[in-house]
Amino acid sequence: EPEVTQTPSHQVTQMGQEVILRCVPISNHLYFYWYRQILGQKVEFLVSFYNNEISEKSEIFDDQFSVERPDGSNFTLKIRSTKLEDSAMYFCASSEALGGQPQHFGDGTRLSIL
Amino acid sequence: AQTVTQSQPEMSVQEAETVTLSCTYDTSENNYYLFWYKQPPSRQMILVIRQEAYKQQNATENRFSVNFQKAAKSFSLKISDSQLGDTAMYFCAFMGLTSGTYKYIFGTGTRLKVLA
């Protein structure tokens, strides 16, 4: 069964550094998402992306965050000038279509800011 | 704004028994979907079951079934014949169809432990 793949599985970064989290969505999917889960808390929506542009972003997704689909397969989340509170699990998800289709999640990237 | 509430932070059940996890939500939309996701210690998010709001019939997937009460805005998950592998965090999620982006809104989760 096709899967969403995320790399790296664990990223350790010094505060203030830039980090790029990578995702390869399922190949025929058109809608892409990033979610964040701070340890012990619920999963929170960050951003959705369709047709090479952001569809919606949450209040969490401020100017330090950006997303990009640099080629036909990768979907990246960039965090500029990381802060301690950015430490979390970041999940990428994709769906084939809208209208209630379930989103398929990757295994997540655990981001640790020191 | 939509909200999802899971009022049981932790639950436990004996192996082979049945357990029900509760979820309530608040929305002004009439057309939406509800989901249950399982997150084992490995931290993956695994889809358990999906329910369309326009369907009165409760969704079932093998040992997993839901009790969807639209008027009460309640969406509970029943796990029958619980297995040790069911030990995980369970998240209820709402997806509204009017916002145009179809993002998930998750509850805070219920940690389920299946006891041998």
Side-chain angles (χ1 to χ4, degrees):
Chain A
E1 186 175 327
E3 292 182 339
V4 175
T5 57
Q6 289 186 243
T7 55
S9 57
H10 191 191
Q11 174 81 43
V12 181
T13 301
Q14 291 289 331
M15 186 173 59
Q17 297 296 304
E18 176 182 284
V19 65
I20 297 175
L21 310 183
R22 292 183 165 79
C23 170
V24 178
I26 295 172
S27 62
N28 64 333
H29 286 189
L30 301 175
Y31 302 88
F32 314 117
Y33 308 83
W34 284 103
Y35 292 85
R36 180 182 82 175
Q37 184 182 31
I38 295 172
L39 186 64
Q41 299 186 21
K42 67 179 178 180
V43 179
E44 301 172 289
F45 169 76
L46 289 178
V47 66
S48 58
F49 191 88
Y50 168 68
N51 201 25
N52 280 321
E53 60 183 27
I54 291 174
S55 307
E56 184 177 351
K57 57 185 181 179
S58 71
E59 292 178 352
I60 303 168
F61 195 88
D62 60 21
D63 290 344
Q64 69 165 147
F65 291 92
S66 62
V67 289
E68 191 178 34
R69 189 157 163 82
D71 52 41
S73 60
N74 288 285
F75 178 51
T76 62
L77 174 69
K78 181 191 289 186
I79 310 175
R80 288 181 284 272
S81 188
T82 49
K83 307 173 209 172
L84 293 176
E85 53 265 37
D86 294 328
S87 294
M89 194 77 161
Y90 288 82
F91 290 102
C92 173
S94 69
S95 65
E96 184 176 2
L98 298 177
Q101 291 300 311
Q103 296 171 19
H104 297 258
F105 284 80
D107 289 347
T109 293
R110 182 184 301 277
L111 178 63
S112 299
I113 307 299
L114 303 180
Chain B
Q2 296 94 347
T3 58
V4 177
T5 301
Q6 293 179 251
S7 59
Q8 305 152 314
E10 292 186 3
M11 293 190 73
S12 61
V13 62
Q14 287 294 134
E15 196 176 8
E17 297 294 308
T18 295
V19 65
T20 299
L21 310 184
S22 66
C23 172
T24 59
Y25 58 95
D26 189 24
T27 183
S28 57
E29 297 188 42
N30 193 49
N31 199 13
Y32 51 88
Y33 286 75
L34 295 161
F35 303 81
W36 278 97
Y37 276 84
K38 168 185 176 180
Q39 188 181 43
S42 60
R43 303 294 298 268
Q44 304 166 282
M45 292 287 285
I46 302 167
L47 176 67
V48 175
I49 201 163
R50 178 182 75 155
Q51 174 77 42
E52 297 94 328
Y54 63 86
K55 286 189 177 178
Q56 291 187 331
Q57 186 174 7
N58 290 321
T60 62
E61 285 288 341
N62 302 312
R63 297 183 296 108
F64 299 88
S65 62
V66 299
N67 182 6
F68 173 51
Q69 302 289 327
K70 190 172 184 180
K73 295 179 181 173
S74 170
F75 181 61
S76 61
L77 174 69
K78 185 171 85 171
I79 306 174
S80 303
D81 186 26
S82 297
Q83 300 174 1
L84 296 177
D86 295 334
T87 292
M89 196 77 167
Y90 287 81
F91 290 99
C92 177
F94 171 96
M95 178 194 286
L97 300 185
T98 58
S99 70
T101 58
Y102 311 102
K103 65 180 183 287
Y104 283 146
I105 297 170
F106 286 94
T108 50
T110 296
R111 186 176 304 279
L112 176 68
K113 188 169 185 178
V114 180
L115 307 172

